[in-house]
mmCIF file of all heavy atoms in Angstrom:
data_model
loop_
_atom_site.group_PDB
_atom_site.id
_atom_site.type_symbol
_atom_site.label_atom_id
_atom_site.label_comp_id
_atom_site.label_asym_id
_atom_site.label_seq_id
_atom_site.Cartn_x
_atom_site.Cartn_y
_atom_site.Cartn_z
ATOM 1 N N ASP B 167 -7.850 10.789 -17.591
ATOM 2 C CA ASP B 167 -8.281 10.809 -16.141
ATOM 3 C C ASP B 167 -7.139 11.217 -15.125
ATOM 4 O O ASP B 167 -7.536 11.508 -14.022
ATOM 5 C CB ASP B 167 -9.157 9.691 -15.735
ATOM 6 C CG ASP B 167 -8.236 8.326 -15.720
ATOM 7 O OD1 ASP B 167 -6.960 8.502 -15.851
ATOM 8 O OD2 ASP B 167 -8.814 7.309 -15.566
ATOM 9 N N GLY B 168 -5.941 11.099 -15.642
ATOM 10 C CA GLY B 168 -4.793 11.472 -14.734
ATOM 11 C C GLY B 168 -4.621 10.393 -13.595
ATOM 12 O O GLY B 168 -3.802 10.576 -12.677
ATOM 13 N N ILE B 169 -5.309 9.246 -13.714
ATOM 14 C CA ILE B 169 -5.111 8.188 -12.790
ATOM 15 C C ILE B 169 -4.511 7.022 -13.364
ATOM 16 O O ILE B 169 -3.583 6.368 -12.873
ATOM 17 C CB ILE B 169 -6.481 7.843 -12.235
ATOM 18 C CG1 ILE B 169 -7.075 9.036 -11.372
ATOM 19 C CG2 ILE B 169 -6.492 6.633 -11.135
ATOM 20 C CD1 ILE B 169 -8.536 8.938 -10.952
ATOM 21 N N HIS B 170 -5.201 6.527 -14.499
ATOM 22 C CA HIS B 170 -4.825 5.329 -15.115
ATOM 23 C C HIS B 170 -3.642 5.551 -16.205
ATOM 24 O O HIS B 170 -3.307 6.690 -16.403
ATOM 25 C CB HIS B 170 -6.016 4.583 -15.720
ATOM 26 C CG HIS B 170 -6.965 4.205 -14.738
ATOM 27 N ND1 HIS B 170 -8.116 4.941 -14.527
ATOM 28 C CD2 HIS B 170 -7.021 3.145 -13.883
ATOM 29 C CE1 HIS B 170 -8.808 4.403 -13.509
ATOM 30 N NE2 HIS B 170 -8.179 3.191 -13.217
ATOM 31 N N LEU B 171 -3.172 4.520 -16.852
ATOM 32 C CA LEU B 171 -2.157 4.710 -17.716
ATOM 33 C C LEU B 171 -2.692 4.683 -19.149
ATOM 34 O O LEU B 171 -3.690 4.123 -19.574
ATOM 35 C CB LEU B 171 -1.148 3.493 -17.583
ATOM 36 C CG LEU B 171 -0.430 3.424 -16.253
ATOM 37 C CD1 LEU B 171 0.432 2.137 -16.165
ATOM 38 C CD2 LEU B 171 0.360 4.687 -15.909
ATOM 39 N N ASN B 172 -1.982 5.504 -19.999
ATOM 40 C CA ASN B 172 -2.261 5.471 -21.488
ATOM 41 C C ASN B 172 -1.536 4.320 -22.134
ATOM 42 O O ASN B 172 -0.918 3.458 -21.418
ATOM 43 C CB ASN B 172 -1.920 6.751 -22.124
ATOM 44 C CG ASN B 172 -0.472 7.202 -21.981
ATOM 45 O OD1 ASN B 172 0.296 6.289 -21.623
ATOM 46 N ND2 ASN B 172 -0.133 8.452 -22.219
ATOM 47 N N ASP B 173 -1.523 4.204 -23.604
ATOM 48 C CA ASP B 173 -0.862 3.172 -24.087
ATOM 49 C C ASP B 173 0.574 3.122 -23.838
ATOM 50 O O ASP B 173 1.203 1.977 -23.688
ATOM 51 C CB ASP B 173 -1.161 3.193 -25.746
ATOM 52 C CG ASP B 173 -2.439 2.678 -26.120
ATOM 53 O OD1 ASP B 173 -3.184 2.148 -25.173
ATOM 54 O OD2 ASP B 173 -2.733 2.688 -27.386
ATOM 55 N N PHE B 174 1.286 4.244 -23.801
ATOM 56 C CA PHE B 174 2.590 4.190 -23.556
ATOM 57 C C PHE B 174 2.952 3.754 -22.182
ATOM 58 O O PHE B 174 3.825 2.974 -21.898
ATOM 59 C CB PHE B 174 3.256 5.614 -23.634
ATOM 60 C CG PHE B 174 4.740 5.628 -23.495
ATOM 61 C CD1 PHE B 174 5.623 5.399 -24.527
ATOM 62 C CD2 PHE B 174 5.291 5.991 -22.250
ATOM 63 C CE1 PHE B 174 7.026 5.342 -24.234
ATOM 64 C CE2 PHE B 174 6.618 6.004 -22.045
ATOM 65 C CZ PHE B 174 7.487 5.644 -23.060
ATOM 66 N N GLY B 175 2.088 4.141 -21.168
ATOM 67 C CA GLY B 175 2.205 3.697 -19.767
ATOM 68 C C GLY B 175 1.945 2.235 -19.710
ATOM 69 O O GLY B 175 2.693 1.442 -18.939
ATOM 70 N N ASN B 176 0.938 1.686 -20.440
ATOM 71 C CA ASN B 176 0.612 0.276 -20.245
ATOM 72 C C ASN B 176 1.746 -0.597 -21.010
ATOM 73 O O ASN B 176 2.010 -1.693 -20.506
ATOM 74 C CB ASN B 176 -0.647 -0.087 -20.983
ATOM 75 C CG ASN B 176 -1.929 0.301 -20.078
ATOM 76 O OD1 ASN B 176 -1.926 -0.141 -18.925
ATOM 77 N ND2 ASN B 176 -2.930 0.964 -20.562
ATOM 78 N N GLU B 177 2.297 -0.095 -22.048
ATOM 79 C CA GLU B 177 3.477 -0.740 -22.675
ATOM 80 C C GLU B 177 4.563 -0.858 -21.617
ATOM 81 O O GLU B 177 5.251 -1.908 -21.524
ATOM 82 C CB GLU B 177 3.937 -0.017 -23.916
ATOM 83 C CG GLU B 177 5.088 -0.689 -24.551
ATOM 84 C CD GLU B 177 5.733 0.056 -25.681
ATOM 85 O OE1 GLU B 177 5.355 1.345 -25.821
ATOM 86 O OE2 GLU B 177 6.446 -0.521 -26.560
#
Side-chain angles (χ1 to χ4, degrees):
D167 64 9
I169 298 171
H170 298 99
L171 299 176
N172 60 19
D173 277 0
F174 183 82
N176 279 315
E177 179 186 18

